[in-house]
Amino acid sequence: MSYTAPESEPPQPRPSRSPLRRPLTVALAALVPGALLGWGVYAAVGDDGGGGRADRASAASASSAPAAGRGAAAPDEDAKDAAPLKGKVVVIDPGHNPENFRHPDEINRQVDIGTHHKECDTTGTATDAGYPEADFTLDVAHRLRDLLAERGATVKLTQDGDRAYGPCVDERARIGNQAHADAAVSIHADGSAAGNRGFHVILPGAVHRGAADTRAIVAPSARLGARIADRFAERTGSAPANYLGDGTGLVTRTDLGGLNLSTVPKVFLECGNMRDAADEALLTSGAWRQKAAQGISEGIVSFLRG
């Protein structure tokens, strides 16, 4: 609420003159020259040559300025960073679909991925106990969506268990492209041999053929993948895959339609191997999946903030 002062103040009563006023005026007039002379002498000899007057002026100025926590509030760093992804668009691509197995004809249909034709989608893998990769990817995607939304991002999923099957890999890429995503991540879990453990991030290789042209996204996707790999390892405690990637957790491929057809920075994350008992124990843990989502989220935030 603002307050506007009146344009003019009401006239004030004039105080009566004191009988002592004239003698005091005379006395002060006599004292002023002496005071000025004393100040001149002090100014000439009182400065110790070390900038005393400047220091005193600086100190006076500092003492009159409001100090943080005393008169003026210090900048709120938490408030400044409360929504670091505001204005950013992130597309999350949960791999496969829980209902794909019911639609073999549709998901086996061949689509053009630039380098060659490939099936529309697959059913994905599962743990030995029957926990499907498609259920895993949706769960992590939901957790990741919530974390990114809390940071201010606009988040879009390529599928949310709301489709009969798919979408096909070319449509998954198209969804990210049409959203003009600042980053896109496809979430998966591997189905390798027992004993093969750990996560890896798949980066797009340089492809320029037919409908595919990844040349503009290779470098930013590599940065996105490296940030996710670092944060994912920190949060989950998982190690990079021991069976590919030479221990870096980073693998480049040119045979995946979801990457080949993307025009925005995009990576695939294989969070672990569902067919290894040790990795299975992690992938089937809700607490671990939350850590996984946090690691992915932090990697995306790091990438988008530069």
Side-chain angles (χ1 to χ4, degrees):
M1 182 178 182
S2 60
Y3 170 77
T4 304
E7 294 182 1
S8 61
E9 295 291 339
Q12 301 296 318
R14 188 170 183 173
S16 58
R17 301 184 65 149
S18 167
L20 296 175
R21 182 175 179 178
R22 183 172 181 80
L24 284 173
T25 301
V26 173
L28 288 172
L31 288 172
V32 167
L36 290 174
L37 178 61
W39 169 252
V41 173
Y42 171 77
V45 301
D47 192 343
D48 59 6
R53 280 179 294 174
D55 292 344
R56 285 190 292 274
S58 176
S61 174
S63 65
S64 63
R70 190 172 66 196
D76 188 343
E77 293 297 326
D78 290 337
K80 185 175 67 175
D81 292 339
L85 299 188
K86 185 177 181 180
K88 300 295 185 180
V89 177
V90 179
V91 169
I92 305 172
D93 179 27
H96 313 290
N97 184 313
E99 299 300 311
N100 273 357
F101 75 97
R102 300 182 187 277
H103 302 273
D105 291 341
E106 289 85 353
I107 67 169
N108 287 323
R109 177 174 62 85
Q110 298 290 295
V111 298
D112 181 6
I113 66 167
T115 56
H116 58 287
H117 284 73
K118 198 169 184 178
E119 60 269 22
C120 158
D121 202 4
T122 67
T123 58
T125 188
T127 66
D128 289 341
Y131 178 52
E133 179 187 0
D135 287 356
F136 168 83
T137 64
L138 264 180
D139 182 81
V140 174
H142 290 159
R143 295 170 189 267
L144 177 58
R145 176 186 59 193
D146 293 346
L147 290 170
L148 292 171
E150 288 173 2
R151 308 303 293 274
T154 297
V155 185
K156 184 176 182 62
L157 271 62
T158 58
Q159 60 96 6
D160 196 7
D162 53 353
R163 301 176 60 123
Y165 65 91
C168 295
V169 293
D170 55 341
E171 184 182 353
R172 289 175 186 266
R174 191 159 54 248
I175 290 170
N177 299 343
Q178 292 175 346
H180 303 288
D182 296 285
V185 179
S186 189
I187 300 171
H188 290 264
D190 209 357
S192 186
N196 290 342
R197 293 199 58 195
F199 73 90
H200 64 279
V201 181
I202 304 174
L203 314 174
V207 175
H208 184 209
R209 191 186 311 168
D213 186 356
T214 63
R215 292 173 296 175
I217 69 164
V218 167
S221 296
R223 291 195 298 272
L224 172 62
R227 300 292 177 88
I228 289 176
D230 286 345
R231 301 306 193 276
F232 188 86
E234 290 174 4
R235 276 293 183 178
T236 64
S238 294
N242 62 6
Y243 58 102
L244 74 178
D246 296 324
T248 65
L250 301 173
V251 177
T252 299
R253 290 176 60 173
T254 59
D255 63 325
L256 298 175
L259 296 180
N260 285 3
L261 301 177
S262 181
T263 59
V264 301
K266 185 174 182 179
V267 299
F268 277 43
L269 173 60
E270 299 280 0
C271 297
N273 179 16
M274 300 197 97
R275 308 310 293 270
D276 176 79
D279 272 7
E280 176 186 358
L282 301 176
L283 298 169
T284 55
S285 163
W288 187 90
R289 292 196 297 272
Q290 184 65 26
K291 292 178 183 178
Q294 289 171 337
I296 302 168
S297 172
E298 290 170 7
I300 293 172
V301 171
S302 177
F303 168 74
L304 293 179
R305 299 186 71 183

